[in-house]
Amino acid sequence: MVPEAITALAGTGAGALVSAMASDAWQTGRNGVIRLFRREGDAQRASLEGRLDHHATLIERAGDPDQARQLIVGQWQLELVQLLTEHPDAESELRRLVEEIQSELPRGGRNWVMTNIARDHGTVYGAMGGNVIHYHQGMPSDPPTSEDRRQ
């Protein structure tokens, strides 16, 4: 997978996982992530389970659960990027897990708003619900010169 695709899929996976936290879809998300990270070995399992449960508790206790989810999602995206980079074979399993989680989430838990801005020759890759949206901001055209106006 190319780095942009890894980042996009990891973002989608992290978004689904964090959406599931403190919801009825939590056990599906938790168990699925534990299965994904089995590639890292048993020594990491207790640490992974602890982080998952701690983040779910933070969201459950937060005064603003949506804000808590926004703050946590980046951490799981980073974890998933690292996993997919080291174990590209996890891609299809992560895609299936995202579909499973999304099918169990209540309608309101599936709505996300993302704002991406590309500037100064920047490129933005945004992923929502598995779709990768690519937007490239090119250079603005030069303003017309006095020579152009006479023609």
Side-chain angles (χ1 to χ4, degrees), residues 33-121:
V33 167
I34 290 168
R35 274 192 316 271
L36 270 174
F37 279 87
R38 75 185 179 285
R39 294 163 173 85
E40 298 292 301
D42 290 336
Q44 301 296 328
R45 184 178 175 135
S47 172
L48 175 69
E49 290 176 348
R51 287 193 316 272
L52 285 166
D53 294 337
H54 177 67
H55 287 161
T57 300
L58 286 174
I59 290 169
E60 195 173 283
R61 292 180 180 169
D64 185 349
D66 289 334
Q67 181 185 29
R69 283 185 173 96
Q70 288 175 359
L71 294 170
I72 291 171
V73 75
Q75 294 174 45
W76 284 104
Q77 182 176 13
L78 182 60
E79 294 275 356
L80 290 170
V81 163
Q82 185 173 346
L83 177 76
L84 291 170
T85 301
E86 294 173 6
H87 304 281
D89 60 308
E91 174 191 356
S92 60
E93 190 175 347
L94 178 56
R95 289 185 189 280
R96 281 191 305 275
L97 176 59
V98 168
E99 289 175 12
E100 273 184 74
I101 292 170
Q102 288 176 342
S103 71
E104 290 186 27
L105 285 172
R107 270 279 166 221
R110 297 182 193 174
N111 298 328
W112 286 78
V113 175
M114 180 187 305
T115 303
N116 298 308
I117 300 170
R119 292 192 181 120
D120 303 324
H121 304 287

